[in-house]
Each structure stands twice: as C-alpha cells, then as structure tokens.
Amino acid sequence: MHLAIHHETVYRYQHPVQRSTQYLRLTPSEGARQKVLSWDLSLPGAASRCLDAYGNVMHVLALDRPHSEIHLYARGVVETDDSPPTPDPQDGRFPPEVFLRDSPLTQADAALRDFAASHAAAVAADARDGLMAMLQALAVHMPYTPGSTDAATPAAEAFAARLGVCQDHAQVFATCARLLGVPTRYVSGYLAADTEHVASHAWAEVRLPGSG
C-alpha cells in the first residue's frame, strides 16, 4: 500500500522565546515491511540529521532568534507491506533485552505489578494469546477517554485513573509485558483512516520468540 503523508506540527508560545532546540523524529524508519519512497522536511531553519540511540532518524533544529510560533512540515510517500510479519533483520540492531528496561513513563507500581501478575500464567502458556487477553483486559480497565491525560502522564498514573488514550494504553501495556519478561517497545506513527485529517497514533510492539 502506498501512503501519501502530509504532517504538520505547530508550536505556539504564550510569550516569545529567545531560543529553542527541537529534537525531531518525523522521518519514518525502513524495514522489511516499510519503505520510504520519498520524504522531505520543511523547517524554519537548518537542522542536522543523525540517528538516535535506537536507530531512529532524528533532526536537531536550533533556533537562536526570538519567536512565538514554530511550524514543522513533513511530506512524503511510504510503501507498506501488509503481509503477516516475519523476523526483520534490522531487529537485530539491539539485543531484545534492551526493551525489557523501564523508562520514566513505564515504571511499575504495585497496582501494575498485580495486574501483570494476574496474566502471567496465560502469557507463559501462550505468549501471543496471553498478551492479547491482557490487552483486552486493559481496554476494559482504561476506556479510551480523550483529554484525560497528556504526553507526560506516567503509565502508573493513567492506570490508577482508569482513563487514557492510545499513548497511555501503549505505555501501560509495555510496562506490564516487560514485567512478564516480554521485550516491548513504544511506537508512534499514523493510523490509516477514511479521512484526510488524523492525529498521530501510538501503539506497542512485542518481540516474540521466532516471530520477530
């Protein structure tokens, strides 16, 4: 499938800022099931390109003049392969154990540990089915509720509030899967929809033995 993407991010400051630095991860990664056919960033200044610690393409944009708004545009065409997943050679860039570590947003409290433990037997018996069951239970515990959290809300806080959006579901799921010994990573991107205007999306990917 060919996807034409036009992404716009706008920052508006209540008061002008003298300088700012943006770390922009707006370039899709390539792998066995995704190819970038064309891609272009339109930015308000020169940016240096590099790879972050996880191999994501990152641009560093430094603005050293006063500004009240920043407009960032990304445009391009990506080709995706919707066939069943197979092990991706690029997944070998890091040992799977890297994705067992927690982060500031995925630190587990007692409630998350108890929730994960309640699914441990099912995951041990069949990792894929057990994780799907845990995800379904999570959706019941935390109904999708726009505006209830923000990008800095920790998984434990969202779980305790029993509310959240895609990023919270992904963070909580990753936290619990890692507690059960399943390498899991947080992913951001787009959700295909029959509309021209969509918000960015988030989900989690797990590494299953033999499946990638």
Side-chain angles (χ1 to χ4, degrees), residues 28-57:
S29 59
E30 293 198 82
R33 303 175 67 210
Q34 177 169 285
K35 296 180 180 179
V36 180
L37 303 183
S38 64
W39 199 257
D40 178 66
L41 296 181
S42 179
L43 308 174
S48 59
R49 173 175 170 143
C50 59
L51 296 179
D52 70 8
Y54 292 100
N56 300 304
V57 176

Side-chain angles (χ1 to χ4, degrees), residues 57-86:
V57 176
M58 182 174 73
H59 289 79
V60 181
L61 171 67
L63 300 177
D64 57 2
R65 60 184 184 276
H67 51 279
S68 300
E69 292 187 358
I70 301 176
H71 291 254
L72 312 171
Y73 301 94
R75 302 178 181 87
V77 179
V78 175
E79 180 181 29
T80 61
D81 180 358
D82 295 331
S83 61
T86 56

Side-chain angles (χ1 to χ4, degrees), residues 116-131 180-182:
S118 69
H119 295 273
V123 172
D126 187 305
R128 184 186 298 272
D129 289 348
L131 290 170
L180 298 177
V182 182

